[in-house]
mmCIF file of all heavy atoms in Angstrom:
data_model
loop_
_atom_site.group_PDB
_atom_site.id
_atom_site.type_symbol
_atom_site.label_atom_id
_atom_site.label_comp_id
_atom_site.label_asym_id
_atom_site.label_seq_id
_atom_site.Cartn_x
_atom_site.Cartn_y
_atom_site.Cartn_z
ATOM 1 N N ASN Q 3 39.689 44.016 5.828
ATOM 2 C CA ASN Q 3 40.647 43.721 4.807
ATOM 3 C C ASN Q 3 41.996 43.330 5.429
ATOM 4 O O ASN Q 3 42.498 43.995 6.321
ATOM 5 C CB ASN Q 3 40.875 45.010 3.927
ATOM 6 C CG ASN Q 3 41.612 44.655 2.650
ATOM 7 O OD1 ASN Q 3 41.303 43.693 1.977
ATOM 8 N ND2 ASN Q 3 42.594 45.486 2.319
ATOM 9 N N PRO Q 7 51.414 39.128 0.930
ATOM 10 C CA PRO Q 7 51.840 38.779 -0.438
ATOM 11 C C PRO Q 7 51.345 37.383 -0.779
ATOM 12 O O PRO Q 7 51.187 36.518 0.083
ATOM 13 C CB PRO Q 7 53.366 38.817 -0.350
ATOM 14 C CG PRO Q 7 53.669 38.783 1.117
ATOM 15 C CD PRO Q 7 52.524 39.399 1.838
ATOM 16 N N THR Q 8 51.094 37.161 -2.073
ATOM 17 C CA THR Q 8 50.551 35.891 -2.522
ATOM 18 C C THR Q 8 51.577 34.797 -2.442
ATOM 19 O O THR Q 8 51.308 33.695 -1.992
ATOM 20 C CB THR Q 8 50.055 36.018 -3.958
ATOM 21 O OG1 THR Q 8 49.074 37.050 -4.003
ATOM 22 C CG2 THR Q 8 49.450 34.753 -4.429
ATOM 23 N N ILE Q 17 66.742 33.575 5.972
ATOM 24 C CA ILE Q 17 65.720 34.248 6.776
ATOM 25 C C ILE Q 17 64.674 34.841 5.811
ATOM 26 O O ILE Q 17 65.065 35.404 4.792
ATOM 27 C CB ILE Q 17 66.285 35.356 7.680
ATOM 28 C CG1 ILE Q 17 67.307 34.772 8.648
ATOM 29 C CG2 ILE Q 17 65.185 36.047 8.454
ATOM 30 C CD1 ILE Q 17 68.064 35.827 9.452
ATOM 31 N N VAL Q 18 63.409 34.732 6.155
ATOM 32 C CA VAL Q 18 62.376 35.388 5.353
ATOM 33 C C VAL Q 18 61.398 36.088 6.264
ATOM 34 O O VAL Q 18 61.101 35.651 7.360
ATOM 35 C CB VAL Q 18 61.670 34.342 4.454
ATOM 36 C CG1 VAL Q 18 60.806 33.392 5.280
ATOM 37 C CG2 VAL Q 18 60.803 34.993 3.415
ATOM 38 N N THR Q 26 40.498 46.430 10.001
ATOM 39 C CA THR Q 26 39.327 45.732 10.536
ATOM 40 C C THR Q 26 38.542 46.682 11.460
ATOM 41 O O THR Q 26 39.095 47.601 12.048
ATOM 42 C CB THR Q 26 39.693 44.468 11.270
ATOM 43 O OG1 THR Q 26 40.650 44.764 12.297
ATOM 44 C CG2 THR Q 26 40.393 43.467 10.327
ATOM 45 N N ASN Q 30 41.281 42.377 18.465
ATOM 46 C CA ASN Q 30 41.543 41.690 19.752
ATOM 47 C C ASN Q 30 42.724 40.777 19.634
ATOM 48 O O ASN Q 30 42.883 39.861 20.472
ATOM 49 C CB ASN Q 30 40.312 40.904 20.205
ATOM 50 C CG ASN Q 30 39.202 41.802 20.690
ATOM 51 O OD1 ASN Q 30 39.461 42.699 21.512
ATOM 52 N ND2 ASN Q 30 38.017 41.623 20.218
ATOM 53 N N GLY Q 31 43.555 40.970 18.598
ATOM 54 C CA GLY Q 31 44.758 40.177 18.474
ATOM 55 C C GLY Q 31 44.954 39.708 17.071
ATOM 56 O O GLY Q 31 44.062 39.761 16.240
ATOM 57 N N LEU Q 54 57.573 42.389 19.586
ATOM 58 C CA LEU Q 54 58.035 41.116 18.958
ATOM 59 C C LEU Q 54 57.866 39.970 19.942
ATOM 60 O O LEU Q 54 58.241 40.037 21.094
ATOM 61 C CB LEU Q 54 59.540 41.281 18.638
ATOM 62 C CG LEU Q 54 60.182 40.150 17.820
ATOM 63 C CD1 LEU Q 54 59.633 40.101 16.401
ATOM 64 C CD2 LEU Q 54 61.710 40.324 17.775
ATOM 65 N N SER Q 65 52.410 45.974 15.130
ATOM 66 C CA SER Q 65 52.259 47.392 15.381
ATOM 67 C C SER Q 65 50.767 47.742 15.178
ATOM 68 O O SER Q 65 50.284 47.757 14.021
ATOM 69 C CB SER Q 65 53.102 48.222 14.447
ATOM 70 O OG SER Q 65 52.755 49.601 14.533
ATOM 71 N N LEU Q 73 55.773 38.025 10.111
ATOM 72 C CA LEU Q 73 56.221 36.777 10.638
ATOM 73 C C LEU Q 73 57.647 36.586 10.085
ATOM 74 O O LEU Q 73 57.871 36.669 8.855
ATOM 75 C CB LEU Q 73 55.328 35.621 10.131
ATOM 76 C CG LEU Q 73 55.733 34.191 10.562
ATOM 77 C CD1 LEU Q 73 55.503 34.023 12.093
ATOM 78 C CD2 LEU Q 73 54.918 33.176 9.798
ATOM 79 N N TYR Q 86 51.308 30.584 4.748
ATOM 80 C CA TYR Q 86 51.285 31.222 6.036
ATOM 81 C C TYR Q 86 50.113 32.218 6.051
ATOM 82 O O TYR Q 86 50.053 33.147 5.245
ATOM 83 C CB TYR Q 86 52.629 31.896 6.306
ATOM 84 C CG TYR Q 86 53.694 30.843 6.542
ATOM 85 C CD1 TYR Q 86 54.359 30.299 5.453
ATOM 86 C CD2 TYR Q 86 53.971 30.353 7.794
ATOM 87 C CE1 TYR Q 86 55.299 29.268 5.643
ATOM 88 C CE2 TYR Q 86 54.918 29.356 8.011
ATOM 89 C CZ TYR Q 86 55.562 28.816 6.916
ATOM 90 O OH TYR Q 86 56.484 27.807 7.101
ATOM 91 N N LEU Q 87 49.248 32.013 7.018
ATOM 92 C CA LEU Q 87 47.991 32.764 7.071
ATOM 93 C C LEU Q 87 48.045 33.785 8.184
ATOM 94 O O LEU Q 87 48.336 33.427 9.368
ATOM 95 C CB LEU Q 87 46.798 31.835 7.323
ATOM 96 C CG LEU Q 87 46.585 30.747 6.268
ATOM 97 C CD1 LEU Q 87 45.627 29.708 6.859
ATOM 98 C CD2 LEU Q 87 45.949 31.358 5.040
ATOM 99 N N LEU Q 103 54.857 30.092 0.622
ATOM 100 C CA LEU Q 103 56.329 30.193 0.750
ATOM 101 C C LEU Q 103 56.997 28.993 0.152
ATOM 102 O O LEU Q 103 56.686 27.840 0.526
ATOM 103 C CB LEU Q 103 56.751 30.310 2.234
ATOM 104 C CG LEU Q 103 58.222 30.400 2.526
ATOM 105 C CD1 LEU Q 103 58.866 31.633 1.894
ATOM 106 C CD2 LEU Q 103 58.519 30.347 4.002
ATOM 107 N N HIS Q 104 57.862 29.226 -0.821
ATOM 108 C CA HIS Q 104 58.617 28.176 -1.502
ATOM 109 C C HIS Q 104 60.054 28.229 -1.011
ATOM 110 O O HIS Q 104 60.673 29.288 -1.023
ATOM 111 C CB HIS Q 104 58.592 28.370 -3.033
ATOM 112 C CG HIS Q 104 57.188 28.473 -3.578
ATOM 113 N ND1 HIS Q 104 56.398 27.351 -3.818
ATOM 114 C CD2 HIS Q 104 56.450 29.551 -3.924
ATOM 115 C CE1 HIS Q 104 55.238 27.761 -4.313
ATOM 116 N NE2 HIS Q 104 55.219 29.097 -4.411
#
Side-chain angles (χ1 to χ4, degrees):
Chain Q
N3 193 46
T8 303
I17 299 173
V18 69
T26 55
N30 287 311
L54 187 68
S65 170
L73 179 69
Y86 291 85
L87 300 164
L103 177 63
H104 305 279

